[in-house]
Amino acid sequence: DFVRRHLLAEEQHLRLFDIAIPFFGRSMLLVAWRAAGWVLGCVPALVGNRALFLTIDAVETFVEDHYGNQIVRLKQGEGGPHLDAKSNEDLIGLLGACCEEEIYHRDDARTRWNEDHVPAASAPYDWNPMDQVWVWLVLAASASAAWVAKKI
């Protein structure tokens, strides 16, 4: 149920962004990003809940920050020549709504992680070194992909 709901929400976000952002305003590597996102969701799900929840936490933490930065840029008028003022406002609203859903996904993954892996008296996270390496890799890959998307 968790994976299905998460996947449906992400597919809805993609549809909304496809509508909101003109074709010539999108990343040239959109197909590659979608494939990478699918793999990043599928592989941890096959490994198990621990990997899945860690991955979702890392990705959604990155996305929250990324959407926040995009909202700030749009509010400062840095939306680019392909967006008029109304489109800019609509995109800010869409990013804000999607960001709230991403935060919910992250918090849901954290709650499920805590229910499955953390004793009640323990800290919210009890990551072992491999967990920390995985989260770092996911965050670094996400940041690298965003950087590349800005350049291409």
Side-chain angles (χ1 to χ4, degrees):
D1 185 52
F2 174 82
V3 172
R4 184 185 55 78
R5 283 186 298 113
H6 188 82
L7 181 60
L8 290 173
E10 296 303 326
E11 288 172 346
Q12 177 67 14
H13 292 177
L14 287 173
R15 283 192 297 276
L16 291 169
F17 284 117
D18 281 347
I19 293 167
I21 300 173
F23 180 76
F24 49 83
R26 299 179 195 163
S27 171
M28 302 281 276
L29 300 173
L30 196 54
V31 172
W33 301 145
R34 287 184 178 181
W38 188 86
V39 169
L40 190 58
C42 184
V43 170
L46 293 172
V47 172
N49 284 347
R50 179 185 196 99
L52 177 66
F53 297 149
L54 285 169
T55 302
I56 290 173
D57 187 321
V59 168
E60 303 304 19
T61 296
F62 171 80
V63 170
E64 177 187 9
D65 184 57
H66 181 67
Y67 282 4
N69 290 335
Q70 296 301 314
I71 290 169
V72 167
R73 287 183 58 228
L74 288 166
K75 285 182 176 179
Q76 294 173 343
E78 297 177 25
H82 56 277
L83 289 176
D84 58 29
K86 174 72 172 120
S87 297
N88 207 17
E89 288 178 29
D90 291 344
L91 189 52
I92 290 169
L94 175 59
L95 284 166
C98 289
C99 189
E100 288 177 18
E101 289 182 14
E102 304 295 3
I103 292 167
Y104 172 79
H105 294 158
R106 183 205 56 214
D107 292 347
D108 190 20
R110 286 181 181 177
T111 298
R112 290 168 187 268
W113 165 271
N114 288 336
E115 289 170 355
D116 287 353
H117 300 95
V118 180
S122 166
Y125 279 120
D126 186 22
W127 289 351
N128 65 44
M130 288 304 296
D131 294 341
Q132 294 172 10
V133 168
W134 177 249
V135 168
W136 182 86
L137 286 171
V138 171
L139 288 169
S142 298
S144 297
W147 182 84
V148 169
K150 288 178 190 175
K151 302 296 180 190
I152 297 178

